[in-house]
Amino acid sequence: MKNRERYNALSYWEQFLSEKRLAAVGFCEDHAQEMMIVNASIIAAEKQIFSSHWLCLPNCYAVLGFLQYVYFPTVFYHIMYGNNELKMPLTSTETLYDYIAGCDTKHKVAMLELLQRLQGLWQVPADECLLQLRDICTVFNDWPLNSTAAMQVLLFGEVTQVCEYIKKQIWCEEVFYEDFGCSYSWLEKLCQSFANGAFFRYRLLHFLNDRVGCLTG
């Protein structure tokens, strides 16, 4: 339970965001076996917003905390106000919930339901937590926002899933090479080396952040 509690705190994520190395690629130096990769994107081309981050997080509760305290508050703020910059409301989940409840926004009910679901996951076992997180992300990715903004969050429990996802999106290897300057086999070897240590983890995440970004349709 103590491991969960560290991620269920706004102060933890404020510190996370203040450490640029962590905010850029996550826990590359963490050798936990449960490590997960997250791709969180907010793309609003008409406002010149192109935010897509690939992170390495140590377990499902770290993913839960990231979504509850960082990603979704930022998304909700943008949905409500549509500013030309992304802002993260640094506030507790309870305060954010009350604030959204008092606002007149088309997606109020969906936002509040999502926050309630996230808050309820802190007490469930890891396997159930991960299943619920995947379902939450799937539902969110299908939200009819009626907006030119594209918002998507993807969870990968294994690095091979990242490779397969990218190859599925860029299904022609010739186009893949033109876009990224490497072959399918090069990406496969980069992913295979992920388990060899922090340096190799950083190499993959740097490639994902610097070259791949968001592949949402």
Side-chain angles (χ1 to χ4, degrees):
M1 181 63 72
K2 182 175 290 187
N3 188 41
R4 304 184 197 185
E5 291 174 352
R6 67 184 301 207
Y7 304 119
N8 188 15
L10 178 62
S11 58
Y12 178 89
W13 295 103
E14 289 177 324
Q15 181 66 25
F16 178 91
L17 293 173
S18 71
E19 297 184 28
K20 295 188 181 300
R21 177 185 60 81
L22 286 179
V25 295
F27 297 82
C28 281
E29 297 177 5
D30 192 314
H31 294 281
Q33 296 299 311
E34 302 176 77
M35 201 168 291
M36 299 185 64
I37 296 177
V38 178
N39 177 222
S41 303
I42 305 174
I43 310 297
E46 80 286 357
K47 297 183 180 298
Q48 297 298 300
I49 294 174
F50 301 93
S51 175
S52 182
H53 295 288
W54 292 82
L55 297 171
C56 183
L57 296 172
N59 55 53
C60 65
Y61 298 109
V63 174
L64 172 57
F66 172 76
L67 295 179
Q68 181 171 330
Y69 289 100
V70 180
Y71 181 71
F72 284 124
T74 307
V75 165
F76 293 166
Y77 190 94
H78 183 74
I79 290 175
M80 289 188 290
Y81 297 107
N83 296 53
N84 291 328
E85 59 180 317
L86 293 180
K87 294 183 179 180
M88 174 189 162
L90 295 176
T91 184
S92 68
T93 300
E94 293 78 8
T95 301
L96 178 63
Y97 186 95
D98 291 341
Y99 181 76
I100 294 174
C103 289
D104 182 19
T105 176
K106 180 178 180 180
H107 300 285
K108 177 194 298 188
V109 174
M111 291 179 186
L112 296 179
E113 288 179 350
L114 191 150
L115 286 176
Q116 285 181 319
R117 286 191 67 183
L118 290 173
Q119 185 60 40
L121 294 184
W122 292 105
Q123 304 304 319
V124 304
D127 289 346
E128 177 64 19
C129 178
L130 181 56
L131 286 174
Q132 290 294 325
L133 285 175
R134 292 190 186 283
D135 183 65
I136 287 172
C137 291
T138 298
V139 171
F140 170 75
N141 292 342
D142 290 336
W143 271 15
L145 293 174
N146 294 326
S147 167
T148 55
M151 302 181 186
Q152 173 180 272
V153 57
L154 304 172
L155 308 182
F156 301 93
E158 298 178 8
V159 71
T160 54
Q161 295 173 351
V162 175
C163 183
E164 292 306 312
Y165 169 74
I166 295 174
K167 288 167 63 178
K168 183 178 179 180
Q169 299 301 310
I170 312 295
W171 54 270
C172 174
E173 186 164 11
E174 183 178 342
V175 174
F176 182 87
Y177 191 88
E178 290 178 358
D179 286 349
F180 304 126
C182 60
S183 64
Y184 282 162
S185 61
W186 183 90
L187 175 62
E188 290 168 355
K189 290 178 181 177
L190 183 63
C191 289
Q192 291 167 2
S193 68
F194 188 77
N196 293 339
F199 171 76
F200 297 96
R201 292 172 184 170
Y202 182 86
R203 280 190 66 202
L204 174 60
L205 289 163
H206 179 74
F207 170 77
L208 294 173
N209 282 305
D210 187 55
R211 303 295 299 277
V212 177
C214 177
L215 293 178
T216 183

